[in-house]
Amino acid sequence: MPRLLGVDIPNEKATAISLTYLYGVGQKVSRDLCYKAGIDPNKKARDLAEDELGRLAALLERDYTVEGPLRRQSQQSINRLRDIKCYRGIRHRVGLPVRGQRTRTNARTRKGPKKTVAGKKGVKDLR
């Protein structure tokens, strides 16, 4: 398996598809990288030569923010929002949806599994 920026990319797939296994590289960036490096995007990743891998790595380092630096940058942005205690930062801190989604129903991905609260059935206690 070829390694780029500390990530193993799959052997059996085309180069353009294999590059998308890097964090921060999508299909368009992957095709652009192949074009800039002069590599056939349909060539299998196992057939890449060392100099081709080196060209790809150099392009990624120079022109794009990917993998570790990108993860660090997005985490710093979230931490900044938390520190200034803005609305989005508070939502991140509490673990609720950040971008205006409803929470009365759904939002299970952010809130986690249901936590049933006992004794909240209705107006039974009035008698």
Side-chain angles (χ1 to χ4, degrees):
M1 275 194 184
R3 269 182 92 72
L4 271 176
L5 305 176
V7 176
D8 291 330
I9 59 175
N11 275 332
E12 302 303 318
K13 299 190 181 210
T15 304
I17 304 300
S18 292
L19 288 174
T20 62
Y21 280 67
L22 295 168
Y23 183 78
V25 177
Q27 290 180 353
K28 177 160 181 10
V29 171
S30 174
R31 285 194 301 268
D32 291 346
L33 276 169
C34 289
Y35 175 74
K36 287 178 185 176
I39 298 171
D40 177 25
N42 297 321
K43 187 178 187 180
K44 299 282 186 199
R46 69 169 173 262
D47 298 333
L48 290 175
E50 286 299 319
D51 65 316
E52 292 173 329
L53 285 172
R55 279 189 303 215
L56 283 172
L59 276 170
L60 281 166
E61 292 273 336
R62 189 182 68 221
D63 297 338
Y64 299 96
T65 307
V66 291
E67 278 303 320
L70 181 60
R71 291 179 200 270
R72 200 171 313 109
Q73 182 180 354
S74 49
Q75 193 59 46
Q76 285 173 345
S77 298
I78 291 172
N79 286 337
R80 181 183 59 81
L81 292 172
R82 286 179 176 179
D83 291 342
I84 64 175
K85 294 189 173 103
C86 68
Y87 181 80
R88 282 172 52 205
I90 292 168
R91 303 293 281 187
H92 271 293
R93 185 182 302 257
V94 177
L96 290 172
V98 177
R99 297 184 178 180
Q101 297 91 335
R102 69 181 298 139
T103 56
R104 182 172 180 174
T105 60
N106 303 329
R108 282 289 138 216
T109 303
R110 284 295 296 205
K111 291 168 75 172
K114 272 188 185 174
K115 301 174 221 58
T116 306
V117 179
K120 205 176 176 189
K121 230 3 184 174
V123 199
K124 275 188 171 179
D125 302 332
L126 290 177
R127 293 181 193 193

